[in-house]
Amino acid sequence: MTQPDLHRDAADQSFIGLIAGLAGQAGDDGLTIGQIVDRLDERSFGVLILILAVPCLVPALYGVPQIVGIPILLLAGQMLIGRHEPWLPRQILERRVSKAWLDRMADFAVRRMRWFERLSRPRLKVFAEGWAERAVAAFMILATLTIVLPMTNTVPSVALALMAVGLIQRDGLFVAGGVAVTIGWVGALLTVALAFWLGAGWAVALTQRVAGG
C-alpha cells in the first residue's frame, strides 16, 4: 500500500535547511528512507542525489561509492524517463538511516556547503526544468558510472553535487557546470584508457621484435 504524503516541502526553504531539518526531525532511531523521501517532497530527486553524492566527495574513497551508486542510478533513471516523484523498492524505502549519519550529513552541509547556497539562485532555468531535467539525468548516470571505479570518486561526485544543486535551486548555471565537469572527467578517463591501450600494444610489439631478433 502506498504511504500517505504526510509532509509538504516549503518551496522557499533552502536545501541546506531541508537537510538540517531531517536531522532535527529524526528520533533516536533515525528515519527510514521512505520518511526522508516524504519530507523532501517535490525536491526529492535533487536532494536525495545530493545527499548520496556528498559522502563520495572524500578523496580516494572505496566501498561507499559502490553502494550509493545503485540508488543514484535508480533515481537518475527515473528522471530520465520523466517521473515527477521518485520510486524506490520497498526494501530500500524501509531501510533506516541512523540519527548519527543524519547529524553528520547536516553538519557537513551547514559547514561545507553554505557557499553552494550563496552562489546558487534561479537563473537560466531553461537548463534546469522540463526537457533539460532528462538530459541532466543522462549526465548524472554517466557521472555515477565513473564514481564506482576504484579511487576515482571525488570529481564525478562534484559533478553530481553541482547538477543536483542546480535542479534543486533551478539554477541552469550550476547544471551546466556539473555537465561540463562530467564531460571533462569522462574525456580524461577515456584519454588515460586509450594511452594505456596504445602503450600496451607498443610494449607487446616491442617484445615480439626483441624476441624475434
Side-chain angles (χ1 to χ4, degrees):
M1 181 180 296
T2 303
Q3 292 294 325
D5 188 359
L6 301 177
H7 298 271
R8 281 290 170 187
D9 172 30
D12 59 346
Q13 186 178 24
S14 69
F15 71 88
I16 289 180
L18 283 172
I19 295 172
L22 293 175
Q25 296 163 14
D28 293 338
D29 56 349
L31 294 170
T32 66
I33 292 179
Q35 290 171 326
I36 291 173
V37 169
D38 184 29
R39 283 162 170 78
L40 296 177
D41 206 47
E42 288 87 358
R43 291 188 276 183
S44 293
F45 280 117
V47 179
L48 280 175
I49 290 174
L50 180 63
I51 288 174
L52 291 167
V54 165
C56 300
L57 291 169
V58 178
L61 189 64
Y62 186 76
V64 174
Q66 288 71 29
I67 294 172
V68 304
I70 296 173
I72 291 177
L73 287 174
L74 281 173
L75 292 165
Q78 291 174 57
M79 289 175 57
L80 186 62
I81 64 175
R83 284 188 64 91
H84 297 291
E85 295 181 359
W87 174 89
L88 291 170
R90 181 179 296 275
Q91 294 88 337
I92 293 179
L93 290 174
E94 292 177 349
R95 294 194 66 172
R96 189 163 290 277
V97 179
S98 71
K99 178 74 163 65
W101 192 90
L102 290 169
D103 286 339
R104 287 197 298 272
M105 184 69 214
D107 182 63
F108 182 91
V110 170
R111 291 190 299 109
R112 303 288 186 180
M113 301 189 71
R114 186 68 69 184
W115 69 275
F116 271 112
E117 198 168 72
R118 286 199 298 266
L119 294 177
S120 181
R121 62 183 184 275
R123 56 190 163 183
L124 300 176
K125 295 171 70 173
V126 67
F127 298 118
E129 295 180 332
W131 64 269
E133 287 186 326
R134 295 191 180 191
V136 173
F139 283 103
M140 284 181 160
I141 291 171
L142 189 58
T144 305
L145 292 176
T146 67
I147 255 187
V148 301
L149 297 174
M151 309 302 176
T152 63
N153 53 281
T154 299
V155 175
S157 297
V158 169
L160 282 170
L162 287 171
M163 288 185 282
V165 170
L167 292 179
I168 295 165
Q169 303 285 83
R170 293 295 182 256
D171 187 342
L173 188 60
F174 263 56
V175 168
V179 169
V181 171
T182 300
I183 293 173
W185 179 241
V186 171
L189 290 179
L190 290 176
T191 300
V192 171
L194 180 61
F196 271 112
W197 181 74
L198 293 174
W202 178 85
V204 169
L206 179 62
T207 301
Q208 289 174 342
R209 285 200 299 270
V210 172

